[in-house]
Amino acid sequence: MKTLVRDVLDAIDSIAPWDLAESWDNSGLQVGDPYSVVHRLGVSLDITPDIVDEAISAKIDCLLTHHPFLFKPIKTIDFSSIEGSIVYKLARSGLSIVSAHTNYDSARNGLNDVLAERIGLCDLAPMLGLKGRFEKDSSVGIGRIGLLPEEITLSEFAMQVKTKLGLSHVRFVGQPEKKIRKISICTGSGGSLINDFFENGSDLYVSGDLKYHEARDTEARGKAFLDIGHFGSEILMVEALSKRLREFFRDSGRKIEIIEMRSEKEPFVFL
């Protein structure tokens, strides 16, 4: 049985329903033909020129990314621009692009749950629930709140997270000896949820892209923030979503090879 791009879209819908995506998001088919055949499906966090070249070299038919390639409408496709050159390569190679962004963030067993499990949290609940048909589902929503098995100091937990996620660095706000147990998390850039963290009784907020004034607000309230970086908090999706897709297609009886893209690296260099 042939696997088509539309079957990849259906697979994602079963794992992370498209209806979970935020209204500002652009998850779904980015480029390509829903009826084209997919023998090899690549999975990556971002779409970059290097990732596109890797996918073409690996004879990938469809690339599934977390971050959407297209966020805003394009008025002009200039092949000399970075974005235009990517569109040109995609069209020439017949490579389709599908993105699962905020729907995978909020889904049950989605990216926030993956991060929570990796850093040892249990008894999970969303930081913010969703409206609509998911309003009564307490397992889906934005971010997560969870508990550690026992109290630990902030500095000890920061080192544990760094090790568990294989990060080169982390940074935190708060007293190093502060005892923590109840923790809020949000993958990617979680600054928009900082006030929700202040109000939900958590001892620590784990996210990425912490800004100066958010750090000062956290410090002034006697709270703690662990910044693990945008990339560090989300690159987990490549392995986790690849595993779910292999299981889905195996159970559905469809033959497809899932390839985890390997050329992605943290864009920041730390001295």
Side-chain angles (χ1 to χ4, degrees), residues 154 172-176 178-180 182 184 194-205 214-226:
L154 173 58
F172 64 81
V173 175
Q175 295 298 320
K178 176 181 174 63
K179 296 290 187 178
I180 60 168
K182 186 177 181 181
S184 292
I194 192 75
N195 289 324
D196 298 284
F197 158 61
F198 291 153
E199 296 171 1
N200 68 23
S202 294
D203 307 308
L204 172 68
Y205 187 25
E214 294 163 352
R216 285 301 193 197
D217 287 345
T218 300
E219 183 182 54
R221 287 167 171 79
K223 296 279 190 175
F225 194 124
L226 176 59

Side-chain angles (χ1 to χ4, degrees), residues 63-227:
L63 182 63
L64 170 62
T65 70
H66 185 50
H67 294 137
F69 173 49
L70 303 173
F71 259 121
K72 298 178 181 179
I74 298 177
K75 294 182 179 180
T76 302
I77 300 177
D78 180 354
F79 291 161
S80 68
S81 69
I82 293 176
E83 191 174 62
S85 67
I86 290 176
V87 172
Y88 177 78
K89 287 182 179 180
L90 296 175
R92 286 290 300 269
S93 65
L95 177 59
S96 299
I97 304 293
V98 173
S99 297
H101 190 212
T102 54
N103 55 313
Y104 185 54
D105 287 331
S106 291
R108 182 190 301 113
N109 298 318
L111 186 50
N112 277 285
D113 286 323
V114 171
L115 176 59
E117 181 181 358
R118 285 286 294 273
I119 64 176
L121 301 186
C122 58
D123 299 330
L124 300 176
M127 284 184 71
L128 295 177
L130 299 178
K131 296 181 179 180
R133 71 185 181 98
F134 298 100
E135 192 166 2
K136 295 182 180 180
D137 189 342
S138 60
S139 65
V140 301
I142 301 171
R144 293 292 184 269
I145 303 172
L147 297 174
L148 291 172
E150 57 186 17
E151 281 191 335
I152 188 175
T153 67
L154 173 58
S155 60
E156 289 173 329
F157 183 67
M159 286 301 298
Q160 286 185 7
V161 171
K162 179 183 176 185
T163 300
K164 288 176 178 178
L165 299 183
L167 303 177
S168 64
H169 73 285
V170 296
R171 57 178 184 161
F172 64 81
V173 175
Q175 295 298 320
E177 298 306 312
K178 176 181 174 63
K179 296 290 187 178
I180 60 168
R181 190 177 182 213
K182 186 177 181 181
I183 297 175
S184 292
I185 68 169
C186 180
T187 57
S189 297
S192 63
L193 299 182
I194 192 75
N195 289 324
D196 298 284
F197 158 61
F198 291 153
E199 296 171 1
N200 68 23
S202 294
D203 307 308
L204 172 68
Y205 187 25
V206 179
S207 190
D209 293 345
L210 174 65
K211 296 180 180 179
Y212 178 84
H213 293 293
E214 294 163 352
R216 285 301 193 197
D217 287 345
T218 300
E219 183 182 54
R221 287 167 171 79
K223 296 279 190 175
F225 194 124
L226 176 59
D227 189 332

